[in-house]
Structure formats: structure tokens, C-alpha cells
Amino acid sequence: MLRRHLPALLLAGCGSTQAAAPVRVTPGSGLHARAAAKGLAFGAAITARQLGEPDLVAALRADCGLLVPEYEQKWRIIEPERGRRSFAGPDMIARFARVSGMGLRGHTLLWHESEPGWAGELTPAALAEAADRHVAVTAAHFAGRITTWDVLNEAIHIADGRPDWLRRTRLLRLLGPDYIPRAFTLARAADPAARLAYNDYGCEHATLYGRRKRLAVLALLRALKASGAPVQVLGVQGHLSAHLPFEANEWRDFLGEVAQLGLTIEITELDVNDRALPAAPGPRDAAVADLTRRFLDASLAEPALRSVTAWGLSDRHSWVRRGVLADHRRRDSALARPLPYDDEMRRKPMWHAIAAAFDSAPVRPAV
Ligand code: XIL
């Protein structure tokens, strides 16, 4: 099924760099080249099926030094039936990344939204066993191929009302908060080389919600460090909203506090929700680019910030456009434009904002 959509070139091992493409590539001018000049990396989320789109592949080659599977490494995709695992999609992405000289982020070992349906039937002991096995087997399968694993995704939900702000997931309810350090320890044992991340959304904006979320994330990271769990990275998703305030100073303070804990930081899912912006593409793209630039300038000023990954390259693939979340849906019929390339793979002002932010970023200290 998947193979039908992939060009012979890719199935033959992705060795050629001559995919037919509308994007003109000048060596060194792409986003990753600009990032790498500062000791940073730039990447994008993709699906295996998208590797069959020559114009996208050309842009990936032009701009990315890092890829991440948008959904194919999630538990419910890898293990749709208990004990029956398939790694076909993410293995294809991993192979493409390897032959293209790109790194691969792992996303995500545990996420409440990606638990397979069958896990809902299990007793606490069986669930603990299944979750442990999933983390260990998946991390072992990709060992040596992952730069950073998002071990745990979105485990905080302040509205759930717990004093520790943890999300009341099924794993939490049945196994208790220890499921968190346990996942990190298992991932470390299975893949000693990957950096291990906690990844979450909602920290970025200067809202009451954002401030609370930042406190909760810092509390979780501190608790994890205190417990000896091998957490090394905070992934800030970077799902920005053009209708929310952003304050560079408070964002930099937060990143500084994370760095103080001895962690590095990655922006893992950058895109801009434009649902409240005017429909006309000109002003909309300008506002999206402006927020992107302010966010990246503030982020890249923090030496512990190491990579920026966009949640897709082209608007035509964005989950924002699909309206997965109610907060993504526009009132008019205009299509969302949250990413650096438009539907025809033309570079938008957001692409230029990212390029300019890398160009003016300070060089990272050597690791
Ligand atoms: C989303 C994908 O974009 C969708 O294709 C999928 O249907 C659901 O997941 N935070 C995350 C990502 O960490 O894994 C989510 O990705 C978007 C929100």
C-alpha cells in the first residue's frame, strides 16, 4: 500500500539526489545549513507516504538536517494489536534520513493520545508490562539511529487539578507517577546513545495558562532530575498562536531556568495557528512570519537551545489545516497557512523568518 506511493528512487535506497523539483537549491542556503553554521540543527516532521512527493523531498533535502516521524512511531501505530508490531513506516523514514545524511528524532514513546485501544482493557499489572515492553522494544529497535527520543509527551495538564499538575492519564491512574522515571530508565537501557527528552506544548505564550504551564514543566523536570531519571532535554513543541501574546523576556527567563537544570532544549513541533488572522494571504503570512521571528530570536539567544523542528514543511500537510483541534478551525473557509512552504512548495515569509533568525543567531558553545 505504502510502496505504491513511493518513487523507485526511494525504494532503491534513496541514493540519488536528483529528484525532479521546483525548489532551486543553492548549497549552503537552506535552513539547516544556516542553522549548522551556528551549531544548531533544523528539521521537519514527515510521514513515510510524503517521501513519495518529489517536490517535498527536494525541499527536505534543501532545508533539513533532522527528520521526525509525524505519527508513525506512536504506540498505537507500532503495535495496533497486542504483541504484533510493525516498524515499516518509521524504518523507511529512518533509512531516508540516513542516506540523506540527516539525523532522526524519535517521537514519542509514551503519549496518552497514542495508547492503543487494546491497552484500555488491561489490568494494571498487564498495562505496566505492555508499556514497559513497548518502551524497551521500540527504543531498542531504533537504537543507534535516534539523536533525541521524546520519551514522554504532554504528561502535564493543569486543569486536571492534581497538586503535581500531572495529567490524569490511564497510566498515571493505574501505575502512579513512577511510570514517568521508569520510562526514562527503560529508554536509557535500550538506547544508551540517544538524548532523552520530555516534550510538551503550551509554555510559549505570555498568558496565565502559559505561565502556569511553565511552572508545572519546571516542577516536573526538577522532580525527574531529583529522582535520578535520565532526562537530558526539554522539547518545547512551539505550536504558536498568532492571536496570543508572546514576551521575549519571560520566554528567555524560562529557557534559562531549564538550562540551569543542566538540560538542553529543542523546539520540536514549530507551526503557527493563524485561525484568528485575516483571510488574505499577504497579511496572514506576514503575521505568521513576524511571530516566528520573535519566537526564534528569543529562543536562539539561549545557548542550551540546540534544534528547531517544524511540524511539517508545507501547509498542504499541516495538522492545523486538518482542524484536528477545535482551536485550529477558522470561522471562514480560508485554509490554514501555518508552515514555511505553501501548497505549491513556494517559500513563504515564514521560511525567510526562520532563515533570518538562524543567520542572526549567536554561535553555540562547543558541546
Ligand atoms: C499529531 C499529528 O500531527 C497528527 O497527524 C496525528 O493525527 C495526531 O498527532 N503534539 C504532538 C504531536 O506531540 O504528536 C501531535 O501530532 C500534535 C500535537
Side-chain angles (χ1 to χ4, degrees), residues 70-71 74 107 111 153-154 199 237 239 269 311 319 322:
E70 181 173 344
Y71 70 88
K74 291 170 182 170
H107 178 79
W111 183 32
N153 201 29
E154 304 181 357
N199 192 49
Q237 293 184 359
H239 291 299
E269 306 183 14
W311 207 235
W319 77 305
R322 290 199 303 273

Side-chain angles (χ1 to χ4, degrees), residues 15-363:
S16 165
T17 52
Q18 299 302 309
V23 178
R24 276 182 178 236
V25 182
T26 315
S29 69
L31 297 178
H32 178 68
R34 292 165 192 259
K38 304 299 172 69
L40 291 153
F42 177 81
I46 56 156
T47 66
R49 178 177 290 231
Q50 287 164 12
L51 293 174
E53 300 174 20
D55 58 349
L56 176 74
V57 169
L60 293 172
R61 291 193 200 283
D63 279 321
C64 293
L66 204 54
L67 295 178
V68 61
E70 181 173 344
Y71 70 88
E72 285 151 299
Q73 272 173 330
K74 291 170 182 170
W75 189 3
R76 67 159 72 217
I77 310 293
I78 284 179
E79 195 179 1
E81 290 162 37
R82 194 175 180 190
R84 187 176 70 76
R85 292 185 178 80
S86 166
F87 295 103
D91 276 347
M92 199 170 279
I93 294 171
R95 189 163 61 129
F96 175 83
R98 182 174 52 79
V99 301
S100 307
M102 301 172 187
L104 187 71
R105 298 194 83 258
H107 178 79
T108 167
L109 291 172
L110 292 181
W111 183 32
H112 62 287
E113 295 228 9
S114 73
E115 238 173 75
W118 54 262
E121 318 285 309
L122 302 179
T123 62
L127 178 66
E129 211 251 9
D132 283 1
R133 195 174 288 254
H134 165 67
V135 170
V137 170
T138 304
H141 177 84
F142 291 102
R145 298 189 282 172
I146 300 289
T147 53
T148 301
W149 256 116
D150 292 333
V151 174
L152 179 64
N153 201 29
E154 304 181 357
I156 291 169
H157 192 47
I158 291 165
D160 280 354
R162 285 176 54 103
D164 57 8
W165 296 309
L166 290 179
R167 188 185 291 273
R168 295 183 193 271
T169 62
R170 203 176 133 72
L171 284 176
L172 184 84
R173 194 153 45 81
L174 297 190
L175 312 181
D178 277 357
Y179 86 91
I180 297 177
R182 193 172 169 76
F184 280 89
T185 305
L186 286 165
R188 169 53 69 242
D191 184 347
R195 293 179 64 73
L196 302 183
Y198 173 69
N199 192 49
D200 212 334
Y201 66 92
C203 292
E204 296 84 355
H205 286 286
T207 57
L208 184 58
Y209 175 89
R211 290 179 184 126
R212 285 191 177 147
K213 188 86 182 229
R214 293 197 285 270
L215 288 177
V217 165
L218 283 168
L220 174 60
L221 294 174
R222 286 198 185 99
L224 277 174
K225 294 286 286 185
S227 76
V231 59
Q232 296 161 299
V233 180
L234 173 65
V236 288
Q237 293 184 359
H239 291 299
L240 306 177
S241 287
H243 55 278
L244 297 179
F246 174 73
E247 294 286 346
N249 286 343
E250 64 179 66
W251 180 241
R252 284 172 61 164
D253 287 350
F254 170 68
L255 297 183
E257 288 195 62
V258 175
Q260 287 281 315
L261 297 176
L263 302 176
T264 56
I265 301 156
E266 302 185 24
I267 295 170
T268 55
E269 306 183 14
L270 180 66
D271 57 20
V272 181
N273 180 354
D274 63 353
R275 72 142 164 82
L277 292 174
R284 194 140 54 107
D285 289 355
V288 165
D290 174 66
L291 176 57
T292 301
R293 180 74 200 266
R294 287 185 292 124
F295 174 68
L296 288 183
D297 281 350
S299 301
L300 298 178
E302 168 51 57
L305 196 298
R306 291 300 156 82
S307 69
V308 179
T309 298
W311 207 235
L313 277 187
S314 165
D315 291 338
R316 73 183 186 224
H317 296 127
S318 175
W319 77 305
V320 176
R321 180 176 286 189
R322 290 199 303 273
V324 179
L325 304 182
D327 185 50
H328 286 165
R329 293 179 209 141
R330 293 184 65 89
R331 296 233 177 90
D332 57 26
S333 56
L335 297 173
R337 300 173 65 82
L339 289 172
Y341 283 84
D342 72 6
D343 288 53
E344 279 76 44
M345 296 307 297
R346 287 180 298 237
R347 289 173 175 170
K348 293 165 52 199
M350 183 182 182
W351 186 96
H352 294 281
I354 299 170
F358 284 137
D359 288 349
S360 60
V363 178

